[in-house]
Amino acid sequence: MAEKVNNFPPLPKFIPLKPCFYQNFTDEIPIDYQTLVRRIYRLWIFYCITLCVNLIACLAWWIGSGEGVNFGLAILWLVLFSPCSYVCWFRPVYKAFRSDSSFNFMAFFFLFGGQFILTVFQAIGFSGWGACGWIATVRLIGTNVGAGVVMLFPTVMFTLCAIGMLICLIRVHRIYRGGGGSFQKAQNEWQSGSWKDPPSREAQHSNFSGNSLPEYPTVPNYGNPWS
């Protein structure tokens, strides 16, 4: 098998940095779950775009109301949450479906659940949080319509992110529980240390010699995730 070279994030050649992760949905994710994992990946991209739009809207918020703290926090959220959300909850769910890792499923539920709660707060829009939500937008529209309209864009986008996260969380949990996953399996992986670098489907199949495949599939069939 050819050596896998890290390909994400896809950085331009003139940047003296190399990609940190290998990501290939077709080769590493079971075909039944590729659509779901791709949608979670697109949800991460949409959340990053939302943070960018929120930064612009917080600048309009600052101009319209004189509250600069929200603009500063918006910069922090963009710089912090864009990479951290990929590492903390997308990579765990990617590795979970890649190798049927209960530990990574549990990590995804815990961290993605926290991200969902935070996104709900961002959609609500408390003042001083650095996020343009419904409360802040409605208040500013009464005094500055132009800035309020700009703030409405990330408000709607944060709301859509929260709805999408809730749907993905429910579907992944349904798939995991339907396949017999449990907290005990996650504990066993933690104790054995197999959670650190769980083998992919290709690596597991390569451990078998001869012309026959193993009696059971490497990754169990959880059923149709969209049913």
Side-chain angles (χ1 to χ4, degrees):
M1 296 178 60
E3 182 180 358
K4 296 179 179 179
V5 180
N6 292 341
N7 58 4
F8 189 89
L11 301 172
K13 294 183 179 180
F14 63 84
I15 297 180
L17 297 175
K18 294 182 179 180
C20 302
F21 306 97
Y22 178 78
Q23 179 174 290
N24 191 315
F25 298 100
T26 304
D27 292 343
E28 294 197 316
I29 305 299
I31 190 170
D32 291 340
Y33 315 117
Q34 287 179 12
T35 300
L36 176 59
V37 177
R38 287 180 188 273
R39 291 187 178 185
I40 297 175
Y41 174 67
R42 294 189 187 109
L43 179 61
W44 170 74
I45 294 177
F46 183 72
Y47 182 71
C48 293
I49 295 174
T50 302
L51 293 177
C52 293
V53 176
N54 178 68
L55 177 63
I56 299 174
C58 282
L59 178 60
W61 190 0
W62 184 9
I63 296 173
S65 66
E67 297 183 15
V69 63
N70 293 294
F71 180 71
L73 288 174
I75 297 176
L76 177 63
W77 300 152
L78 176 61
V79 174
L80 181 64
F81 284 122
S82 294
C84 289
S85 57
Y86 179 87
V87 174
C88 293
W89 55 260
F90 176 73
R91 286 302 298 182
V93 77
Y94 182 91
K95 292 188 290 185
F97 279 108
R98 183 188 69 180
S99 55
D100 186 33
S101 170
S102 290
F103 179 86
N104 282 293
F105 271 116
M106 288 295 175
F108 168 75
F109 293 140
F110 178 76
L111 296 171
F112 192 68
Q115 178 75 80
F116 165 69
I117 295 174
L118 176 62
T119 306
V120 170
F121 283 124
Q122 289 175 321
I124 293 174
F126 297 109
S127 181
W129 276 61
C132 298
W134 290 104
I135 295 177
T137 300
V138 171
R139 285 179 177 176
L140 193 61
I141 284 180
T143 58
N144 192 315
V145 178
V149 171
V150 175
M151 292 172 61
L152 187 61
F153 287 96
T155 299
V156 174
M157 294 175 73
F158 276 128
T159 304
L160 294 176
C161 281
I163 295 173
M165 288 177 181
L166 179 60
I167 294 174
C168 288
L169 192 61
I170 293 173
R171 286 178 173 170
V172 174
H173 184 265
R174 183 184 301 172
I175 292 171
Y176 178 65
R177 295 298 296 176
S182 65
F183 184 72
Q184 182 61 43
K185 287 185 178 181
Q187 285 184 316
N188 293 337
E189 288 186 17
W190 172 266
Q191 294 173 356
S192 63
S194 61
W195 64 273
K196 297 179 180 179
D197 188 21
S200 63
R201 291 185 302 149
E202 296 175 354
Q204 292 183 37
H205 278 294
S206 66
N207 292 331
F208 294 91
S209 59
N211 297 325
S212 61
L213 291 174
E215 182 179 359
Y216 300 101
T218 307
V219 179
N221 184 6
Y222 293 102
N224 186 356
W226 306 109
S227 60

